[in-house]
Amino acid sequence: MTDSTKTLCPYCGVGCGLEVSPPAAAGKATNRDSQGNPVWKVRGDKAHPSSQGMVCVKGATIAEAIAKSRLRYPMVRDSLNEEFRQVSWEEALEKIVNRIQTVRLTQGADAICMYGSGQFQTEDYYIAQKLMKGCLGTNNFDANSRLCMSSAVSGYIQSFGADGPPCCYEDLEQTDCAFLIGTNTAECHPIVFNRLNKYCKQNRNVKMVVVDPRYTTTAEAADLHLAIHPGTDIDLLNGIAHLLMRWGCIDLDFIEDCTSNFPAYAEVIQDYTPEMVAQKCGISAADLETAARYWKESKRVLSMWSMGVNQSSEGTAKVRTIINLHLMTGQIGKPGAGPFSLTGQPNAMGGREAGGLAHLLPGYRSVKNPQHRAELEQLWGLPTGSISSEVGRNTWEIITGLESGEVGVLWIAATNPAVSMPDLERTKAALLRSPFTIYQDAYYPTETAAYAHVLLPAAQWSEKTGVMTNSERRVTLCSAFRQPPGEAKADWEIFAEVGRRLGFTEQFAFSAATQVYAEFTKVTRDRPCDMSGLSHERLRAEGPQQWPCPESELGKSDRHEKAKRLYTDFKFHTPDGRAKFAAYHSRGLAEPPDPQYPYVLTNGRLYGHWHTLTRTGRIDKIQQMHPNPFIEIHPRDAASLKINNDDWVEVRSRRGKAKFPAKVTKAIAPGTVFVPMHWGALWAEQAEANALTHPESCPDSKQPELKACAVQLIPLSNNFFSYQEAEQYDPAPSPISV
C-alpha cells in the first residue's frame, strides 16, 4: 500500500483532518521512530474544512503510539489477586455472556452497567446503546462525556429545546468579539485558536476577551484578561448583563418575538452592580465595564467555553447564563455570533447524537419521553416497553452502585476511570469491590486494567472504519489504514457479538460498519440532528459534512450553507418555539476555601498531552515537552509558605493527597493553584490530580466539579526526591509473552 488515507485526529473535539501514508514509499527511506520501528507518516489534510491542513503536535505524532503497548489478545482472571491468562475470544465471550445472564436473572438488568468513551466512533456508541438500552432494557450506559460536556448538553436542551452547538468554525473569522470563558483554547483546542488568533491579528478592531484564573497562552493573546476567582463565572456574566441592561443595549424585538422568561432574568441581574461583581470576582470595575462595552459595541459576539464552565456544580447554570447574554442581545443564528461549546473529545458530539449518556437515546431522544421510547422500540424491532423509562446510572452513580453491591457487571470501554474520576481513592476502592469488570481497550497496561477480570483487545481509530462528529457538527469518515494487532476487534463488533450470543440475532445482524451507520442515520430522521442524508459512501465521495443533513435536502444548492448554523430562522426546539431565559444567582464553589484548606486547586490539560497519557505518554517528543507534573503557585503564596521554584510541595484535600515540584509563577492568581490532570499511577508517583477532587456535581447535568476543590499546601524538604529517582512502574511492558 502506497496511497495515503484520509482520517480524523483522535484527540480533541476540534476534529482536524489528517492524511496518513505508510512508513515505506518507493525511492524513499522508511519512516522510523527513535527505536527503529516503522511509523506511519502523518500530515494535515488541506481539504478538510475544519482544520484546513493545520495540525498540532499531538496530531502530528499520533502514529508513533499506534503499535506501542497494545493489548493483543483476550485475557481473563477469576480474581484481582491472580495474574491474567490469555484465552480465546470464545472463552472470553462465553464468560461475559454467562455472567450477564446470571446477573439479569438474580439482580435484574439494572445491575449491569457500561461506561464508554468519546474515543468511540459513532458506530461503537450506537451499537452499545442498542445492546444496553434496547435489548437488555437498562439505561445504565454513561460515558466520560459526563465528565466533559454534559453541562453543555443540558444547557443547550434547557435553553433551546435540543442539544447541538449552533455555531461553526467559519464564525471564528466573522466575529467582532470573541468571548472565551473557562477555556485555554490555545493549548486544549489549538487549531481553533490558531484560526481565531490569525483573524484577530489581521483585524485589529476585533476584540478577544479571556476569562480564566490563569494567565494562559490564550490569555496572552487577549485584549482583555479577566482573572476571576474560581466559582464566580455567573457573577461576572450577570454583571455584564446588568451593564448592558443599564445602557439599553438589548434587542427588545428579538426578546419579545423569540424568547420567554426574560422578566425573571431581568429581575435577577439588577442585583449584580459593577461594584459588587468586581469585589466578588476579584477584578476591577473598569475591566468589567470594558468587557461589557466590547459586547455592547459588537454586532457579532462569539462566546466559547470548555471544561472551566462545564466541570462545575453550577455547570448548567453557567452555560445557560452565557446563552442568556446572547438572547438578550440577539446574538445568535447569524454569522460570527452565538454560544459555542468546544467539545473535549474527538467524538463526544457523536456520542450525544447516538444517545451515549444515561438519560439519552439515539437521535437526540430522551429516555423519559414515551414517544421517543416507542419510536426506537419500533425501529429496533423490540416489544413495547423494552426500553426503560428510568434514567440510568450516571458515572458517579455507577461508583456508588459498586459500593452498595447493586452493580453486578461493570463493562468499561476506551476510557481510564482509575485516573479520570473524581475522589480517586474512593473510586479505586469501589472498583476493587466490583464482582465482575470487563475492560475493553486498545492499550495495556493502563491504570484501570488493574481492576479488571476480563481484558478485551480493541481496535483503535487507525484499524477500524467509522465516523466522528466534531464541535461544529461536522461528520468525518475515519477510514482504517492498518490491520488491528493480534486478535483486536472494533468496539461495535464486540458489543454486537455479545448481543447475538444473548439471543438478539436480528438486532445485531451487521457484518460491516457501513451497515451500522446506515441504520443509525435512519434513527436520526426528522430529529434535530437529522443525518438521514449521510452514509459512509457519501462521506467518502464528498468529504466531511455538517448536520443537519436530511435526505430530503440532498441535491439542493443551499444544503451546505443551511447546515452551517442552527436557529437562523429564530425558531427553537421548545414547545412554543421560543428560546428560554434562565434566572440564576451565583452559588459559588461546592467546596470553597477555608482556614484549614485555604487554597483553591484547579487543573487542566497541557498542550502536548492528552487525558491520562495512554497515547501521549508513549510518544518521545511529547514526553520531552512535558516530562513531569508540577504545581503552579503565585509568588505571594509561595513566599508566605517559604516555597521556592522546584521545591516539593504536598497538596492535601479532605479526600487525598499528592506531591508536586513547585512552579512559582504570576500566571496563576493568588489563592489559586494549578496542576495538570494527566498523570496517573503508572506515570508518576503520587501525582494524581483527582486524588484531591470531590464528586459534588451539577444538579441538572450531573457533571462533577472537577475544576475546583479546597486544598492545603505543605512544603517538603528540598531534597525530597525527583521523578527520575522515584521508583515507578514501567508503563509499557508487554501484556503477555507470545
Side-chain angles (χ1 to χ4, degrees), residues 495-625:
F495 300 145
E497 181 58 28
V498 169
R500 288 190 289 268
R501 288 170 181 252
L502 287 169
F504 302 100
T505 53
E506 291 184 11
Q507 282 75 21
F508 298 102
F510 303 105
S511 59
T514 187
Q515 297 170 344
V516 176
Y517 191 63
E519 180 176 298
F520 167 69
T521 58
K522 290 179 183 177
V523 168
T524 70
R525 188 183 301 277
D526 298 326
R527 300 297 303 153
C529 58
D530 194 329
M531 287 171 270
S532 58
L534 296 182
S535 64
H536 280 202
E537 292 77 13
R538 176 160 286 111
L539 291 167
R540 187 175 287 111
E542 300 179 16
Q545 305 289 315
Q546 285 177 285
W547 63 255
C549 184
E551 192 172 25
S552 60
E553 293 290 314
L554 295 180
K556 294 185 178 180
S557 59
D558 62 346
R559 174 170 69 90
H560 297 290
E561 192 65 30
K562 287 170 67 175
K564 286 180 181 178
R565 298 173 188 88
L566 305 181
Y567 313 123
T568 54
D569 58 359
F570 305 138
K571 294 178 181 178
F572 300 89
H573 294 290
T574 54
D576 61 4
R578 293 170 174 265
K580 296 182 179 180
F581 279 95
Y584 291 102
H585 284 293
S586 174
R587 291 185 290 110
L589 298 177
E591 186 180 70
D594 59 29
Q596 187 178 2
Y597 297 93
Y599 300 96
V600 175
L601 172 78
T602 188
N603 60 71
R605 287 190 249 163
L606 304 178
Y607 168 64
H609 273 313
W610 174 253
H611 283 202
T612 64
L613 304 185
T614 308
R615 281 194 180 107
T616 57
R618 296 175 166 96
I619 297 173
D620 294 341
K621 183 176 182 178
I622 292 178
Q623 278 289 62
Q624 291 166 9
M625 289 176 63

Side-chain angles (χ1 to χ4, degrees), residues 140-295:
N140 292 342
F141 178 101
D142 215 41
N144 53 19
S145 293
R146 180 70 65 185
L147 309 179
C148 178
M149 299 306 297
S150 56
S151 292
V153 174
S154 60
Y156 284 139
I157 291 173
Q158 291 181 21
S159 291
F160 300 145
D163 187 15
C167 307
C168 65
Y169 291 163
E170 282 189 14
D171 294 324
L172 297 167
E173 290 118 358
Q174 298 187 35
T175 190
D176 297 327
C177 177
F179 186 85
L180 283 64
I181 179 168
T183 170
N184 182 9
T185 319
E187 294 195 63
C188 300
H189 299 90
I191 305 310
V192 161
F193 181 78
N194 288 355
R195 288 184 63 167
L196 175 65
N197 197 34
K198 180 180 178 181
Y199 170 72
C200 289
K201 287 181 176 179
Q202 292 173 344
N203 299 272
R204 299 310 302 174
N205 59 312
V206 175
K207 302 301 181 183
M208 186 192 304
V209 180
V210 172
V211 183
D212 196 316
R214 296 174 69 216
Y215 186 71
T216 62
T217 307
T218 310
E220 190 177 349
D223 296 280
L224 176 65
H225 173 221
L226 301 174
I228 64 172
H229 294 319
T232 61
D233 307 67
I234 291 175
D235 297 286
L236 174 72
L237 296 165
N238 281 349
I240 293 172
H242 175 100
L243 287 170
L244 292 175
M245 176 77 84
R246 180 190 292 182
W247 297 337
C249 300
I250 61 176
D251 190 333
L252 289 172
D253 289 339
F254 180 84
I255 293 169
E256 179 69 24
D257 296 342
C258 306
T259 73
S260 62
N261 202 41
F262 179 71
Y265 173 62
E267 184 175 348
V268 162
I269 63 176
Q270 286 180 7
D271 297 338
Y272 290 80
T273 62
E275 297 74 23
M276 183 271 276
V277 170
Q279 187 274 329
K280 201 162 185 184
C281 293
I283 60 175
S284 70
D287 280 350
L288 173 66
E289 292 187 10
T290 298
R293 190 175 70 254
Y294 285 164
W295 199 292

Side-chain angles (χ1 to χ4, degrees), residues 213 228-230 599-602 632-634 637 668-674:
I228 64 172
H229 294 319
Y599 300 96
V600 175
L601 172 78
T602 188
E632 289 184 353
I633 306 173
H634 190 273
D637 298 325
I668 190 75
T672 304
V673 294
F674 168 86

